Amino acid sequence: MSGPLFVTTILLGSFLLFLVQPMIARMALPRLGGAPAVWNSAMLIYQALLLGGYAYAHWLGRVPVRRQAMIHLGVLAVAALWLPIGLMAMQLPADAEPALWVPWLLAASIGPLFFAISAQAPLLQRWFASASGGRDPYALYAASNVGSFGGLIAYPLLVEPLLALHVQSWLWTGGYALVVVAVAACALLLPRKAADAPHVHATSAAPSWRRVAHWIVLAFVPSGLMLATSSFLTTDIVAVPMLWVLPLGLYLLSFTIAFAARRTVAVLLTRFAPVTILLFGGLMIAGHNANPELNALMALVLLFMVAVALHTHMYDLRPEPDRLTGFYLAMSVGGALGGVFAALVAPLVFDWTYEYPILILGAGLLVPQHYLLPWLARLWEQRAQLRRIAVLAVALGVLCVIWLGLSGGGDRLGDQQAGLLYLALAVIGVATVGARVPFLIVLAGSLFLFGGFRALTMSWDGGVRTRSYFGVYTITELSDQKRMAHGTTLHGVQLTGSPKRLRTPTTYYVPGSGVGQAMLALPALYGPRARVGVVGLGTGTLACYATPGQRWSFYEIDPAVVELARGPFRFLDQCRPDARIILGDARVRLADAPEGSLDLLVLDAFSSDAVPMHLMTLEAFATYDRALAQDGLLLVHISNRFLALEPVVERAAALGGWSAAQLAYSPSLTEELDEAATSDWIALSRSPETLARLTARNPEWRQLATQPDFTPWTDDYATILPVLRSLNRDLP
């Protein structure tokens, strides 16, 4: 009867663990902003606390299980002093360094709770082995990851849309109380005498350092690939809100399959994992976005197969239950290192998502290999000399295919060249499955041909591509223009040639757009000394509306964008070289701005799915109101492929006492030749007279449709589910 209780307790603990991460992140947004250093620092503290919890569970194995239960219940009781969950009310310095303050704030706010809950899975598995008379406890880790997956999915789909943050906090508190009760119930089932507690003290042989390193590497690759898949999809394939949920969810589900008591599914998926790596790996890094849904599906299948195969291999190499906590500690170390590599090291070292093909190649190196057909086994199990000849033949065949793909020799294959080359590599590769070295040769050739060579060429050509924690920016120079794309989303275009062309606003900022209309009206509305603030620098296009006497300030969160705007692009240099650029999260920095210091504030922090939710809450609009003069204008850019943001702005305007109007601009064919783009802007002002003077200049301005049933976004409650719309790649 002990099994269901232990399973339930592990499920609940893991559910709470993955519920608290997005919850505390939402709580931190208004105070810390959305700077990348904030999220990277948060990730590090989560990984550190998880490692600490696993290390604590491992250390606790030195004492009898009954004493372990007493100690752990004491730890849970002390951690309960931090309930209800929430951020500490400490005031951060204005010049706070996120890399130092964010870990300290999060550790002080939820550290003890996270630490205590994170130790649950390995600790309770050891207790189960003791309470059940030595039954294999590893299958309980599958239950742990079912709980983790449930918490991950429940937050964006159920908890966040239905509950305010303070209610979420109390819900989590109730769940924590249930965990304490369940742990106490599990403790009552533990043997009272050490002699009755098998598999408590380690009696089996200690694993070698080589075996421990193998565990770490097997955990490293899926963890890193999970984060790299999220980054790669949103950078090179398609940017969809909440896409990060799918890779993380599949990663967690892979543990459930790999550690399940029934091995059929795990064995079957592991057997065909090399084929998936070979067939999908090269296609993924090619970065084709003509069919983004199909490519995203293939990337997710690839991640899932790799994670199942490597976690299954890890399970096959597991130690005896008396060494269980050390095994999970090594797994945690590998997972943490994989996350650090993909989320922290790669953006600093690489200018493109090179971590993705590197991890795919690592998966090919580590995945268990099985011959697909008996005759292939006979082919590769020949004498050493014959095997070397076969490997050489494979290498020459791969080199020949690469030469055809990169030289003029492939032209004779016609329009289907890429497909024929892919088919050739696929045939060679499938024949090598089961023979690791030739398999890796084919996989490396595929990664190089389909995307790797192009990526390396762009990296060698300095200045073409820049990477930051926000993604990859690619600069494309054509005969008459220069373009900047963030992944698959266009961020700005500058025409080249004469000084007049250099100073011409393009894309979403042309004179006919909502923001263009507001800029042209500035002298009439506020005189020659208007004070302008812009949230989101981009290429600096809006600077070319500046006139002598005006004061301009740009708020930009990404230093890489500032370098691009002052480097390859010349809008700032040509039009407003003295503009003040303020680095940091716009909401945090605007809160420090003098009251009434701006006449016009442009909120242009949105492109594709990148919606900084904390910039759209009622509290955020109150911050903008404070920074604006009494008759000031606020222009909000809501063009978005996936989200209909009109209801969010309309509710903020109605509840905040703003007058509002919307201009959906569609350029003519002639204007499109000069890179004008469709855009959607909303103008707001506390002064109805000021707004009326703006909208009188263009009859296309219209009042916002009222949305009384839409729940406004606040710092305590916000969800994107009601504003999601169907995929439309034609929108900006």
Side-chain angles (χ1 to χ4, degrees):
M1 294 299 293
S2 61
L5 177 59
F6 278 92
V7 169
T8 301
T9 307
I10 287 178
L11 273 170
L12 184 56
S14 299
F15 182 87
L16 292 181
L17 198 64
F18 271 78
L19 202 64
V20 73
Q21 295 187 31
M23 187 186 304
I24 202 70
R26 278 280 290 112
M27 293 177 180
L29 265 178
R31 288 178 58 185
L32 302 177
V38 170
W39 302 118
N40 293 324
S41 298
M43 187 204 70
L44 284 178
I45 198 63
Y46 291 148
Q47 295 282 14
L49 289 170
L50 186 65
L51 269 176
Y54 277 42
Y56 154 73
H58 181 59
W59 170 83
L60 214 54
R62 302 182 180 189
V63 301
V65 288
R66 297 284 291 187
R67 192 177 303 171
Q68 291 178 28
M70 294 177 62
I71 293 173
H72 189 58
L73 285 170
V75 169
L76 289 170
V78 171
L81 297 174
W82 273 256
L83 293 172
I85 197 168
L87 286 182
M88 291 185 66
M90 60 188 299
Q91 186 62 41
L92 299 183
D95 57 348
E97 171 55 49
L100 299 176
W101 278 101
V102 173
W104 165 251
L105 179 61
L106 293 178
S109 300
I110 64 165
L113 292 166
F114 198 99
F115 172 84
I117 292 292
S118 66
Q120 295 284 98
L123 198 56
L124 287 174
Q125 287 181 67
R126 175 190 283 147
W127 294 2
F128 172 76
S130 177
S132 63
R135 289 173 56 189
D136 189 344
Y138 282 102
L140 270 67
Y141 195 67
S144 170
N145 284 279
V146 169
S148 300
F149 179 77
L152 173 71
I153 295 298
Y155 190 81
L157 297 183
L158 295 175
V159 177
E160 187 180 47
L162 298 177
L163 303 174
L165 280 175
H166 72 278
V167 180
Q168 296 175 27
S169 177
W170 283 107
L171 176 68
W172 200 92
T173 300
Y176 186 84
L178 288 176
V179 165
V180 174
V181 172
V183 170
C186 291
L188 293 176
L189 299 177
L190 296 175
R192 296 182 179 275
K193 298 179 181 179
D196 298 329
H199 303 291
V200 173
H201 299 291
T203 57
S204 63
S208 65
W209 283 108
R210 184 186 296 273
R211 174 59 58 87
V212 173
H214 199 176
W215 292 337
I216 291 174
V217 173
L218 287 172
F220 175 96
V221 171
S223 173
L225 189 61
M226 178 265 296
L227 292 174
T229 298
S230 298
S231 175
F232 184 79
L233 286 178
T234 55
T235 298
D236 277 22
I237 303 297
V238 58
V240 177
M242 298 195 303
L243 185 64
W244 60 270
V245 171
L246 295 178
L248 183 54
L250 292 174
Y251 172 77
L252 294 173
L253 282 179
S254 72
F255 283 107
T256 302
I257 294 174
F259 282 69
R262 296 181 178 179
R263 310 301 303 152
T264 305
V265 176
V267 171
L268 182 64
L269 294 181
T270 299
R271 186 173 185 84
F272 288 98
V275 179
T276 306
I277 295 171
L278 182 69
L279 297 183
F280 288 177
L283 288 181
M284 285 302 93
I285 76 156
H288 299 304
N289 53 23
N291 297 295
E293 298 91 343
L294 177 61
N295 288 327
L297 177 62
M298 288 193 297
L300 293 172
V301 170
L302 174 62
L303 167 65
F304 184 63
M305 295 291 282
V306 167
V308 169
L310 296 189
H311 290 153
T312 298
H313 192 34
M314 190 187 312
Y315 177 85
D316 294 337
L317 299 176
R318 70 194 186 281
E320 294 298 322
D322 60 348
R323 300 283 179 181
L324 174 148
T325 53
F327 171 70
Y328 286 125
L329 181 60
M331 182 190 301
S332 179
V333 169
L337 291 176
V340 168
F341 169 69
L344 294 179
V345 175
L348 290 176
V349 175
F350 304 134
D351 68 349
W352 182 65
T353 50
Y354 284 109
E355 66 273 17
Y356 191 63
I358 289 173
L359 289 166
I360 291 175
L361 196 59
L365 176 65
L366 294 170
V367 70
Q369 295 272 357
H370 303 279
Y371 297 111
L372 297 179
L373 296 170
W375 67 270
L376 290 175
R378 292 192 297 271
L379 173 66
W380 292 109
E381 290 177 355
Q382 300 291 331
R383 295 194 307 272
Q385 185 175 2
L386 293 177
R387 283 202 304 271
R388 285 195 291 268
I389 294 174
V391 171
L392 180 61
V394 167
L396 291 175
V398 170
L399 288 174
C400 181
V401 173
I402 293 175
W403 176 81
L404 284 172
L406 301 181
S407 70
D411 294 342
R412 67 193 62 156
L413 299 177
D415 295 335
Q416 305 301 319
Q417 171 189 342
L420 291 173
L421 295 177
Y422 172 78
L423 180 62
L425 283 179
V427 170
I428 299 173
V430 169
T432 64
V433 171
R436 192 172 304 277
V437 173
F439 175 84
L440 286 173
I441 291 174
V442 179
L443 179 60
S446 176
L447 294 172
F448 179 77
L449 178 60
F450 298 107
F453 176 77
R454 183 187 62 187
L456 289 169
T457 301
M458 295 181 69
S459 295
W460 289 331
D461 188 0
V464 171
R465 195 163 50 201
T466 300
R467 184 174 182 180
S468 73
Y469 284 113
F470 286 96
V472 177
Y473 302 96
T474 303
I475 311 301
T476 304
E477 294 194 32
L478 305 177
S479 59
D480 60 345
Q481 61 184 244
K482 188 176 296 185
R483 307 166 71 88
M484 182 173 81
H486 182 191
T488 59
T489 303
L490 183 66
H491 268 217
V493 175
Q494 184 169 32
L495 305 178
T496 55
S498 67
K500 180 181 178 181
R501 284 175 58 83
L502 288 172
R503 293 192 292 267
T504 301
T506 57
T507 62
Y508 322 116
Y509 316 107
V510 295
S513 66
V515 71
Q517 295 285 295
M519 291 294 179
L520 295 175
L522 272 179
L525 294 176
Y526 303 110
R529 305 187 67 82
R531 302 161 299 173
V532 180
V534 180
V535 176
L537 174 61
T539 56
T541 309
L542 287 176
C544 285
Y545 284 106
T547 60
Q550 294 178 348
R551 287 188 295 166
W552 280 64
S553 300
F554 286 93
Y555 296 85
E556 175 55 51
I557 197 172
D558 192 351
V561 171
V562 177
E563 294 182 10
L564 292 172
R566 290 202 178 278
F569 292 91
R570 301 178 58 193
F571 286 116
L572 287 177
D573 176 58
Q574 289 284 314
C575 304
R576 202 73 192 183
D578 60 341
R580 189 169 63 126
I581 298 178
I582 303 168
L583 276 173
D585 184 84
R587 178 172 168 182
V588 175
R589 301 309 297 267
L590 280 167
D592 298 329
E595 187 173 350
S597 58
L598 295 172
D599 297 309
L600 172 64
L601 177 61
V602 179
L603 192 61
D604 183 36
F606 315 101
S607 63
S608 187
D609 73 317
V611 180
M613 191 176 287
H614 69 295
L615 297 183
M616 297 286 278
T617 64
L618 296 183
E619 294 85 351
F621 277 84
T623 299
Y624 310 145
D625 183 29
R626 176 189 167 278
L628 283 166
Q630 290 185 353
D631 62 344
L633 268 175
L634 174 64
L635 266 291
V636 184
H637 191 191
I638 62 167
S639 304
N640 196 282
R641 284 184 287 184
F642 307 108
L643 303 176
L645 295 169
E646 299 95 326
V648 179
V649 181
E650 190 278 330
R651 283 292 84 196
L655 297 174
W658 301 78
S659 297
Q662 183 174 0
L663 177 59
Y665 168 75
S666 296
S668 65
L669 292 176
T670 303
E671 291 170 320
E672 287 181 354
L673 294 177
D674 286 331
E675 295 301 322
T678 300
S679 64
D680 205 348
W681 293 84
I682 296 177
L684 304 94
S685 180
R686 286 285 191 176
S687 167
E689 295 80 11
T690 300
L691 187 66
R693 293 173 64 189
L694 170 66
T695 57
R697 302 169 64 93
N698 189 330
E700 297 297 322
W701 286 100
R702 62 174 179 82
Q703 286 189 334
L704 288 178
T706 58
Q707 307 277 349
D709 296 331
F710 183 83
T711 304
W713 287 3
T714 66
D715 288 346
D716 195 44
Y717 175 84
T719 173
I720 67 171
L721 292 182
V723 296
L724 277 172
R725 57 187 174 194
S726 60
L727 181 65
N728 186 342
R729 293 187 293 277
D730 296 329
L731 292 175

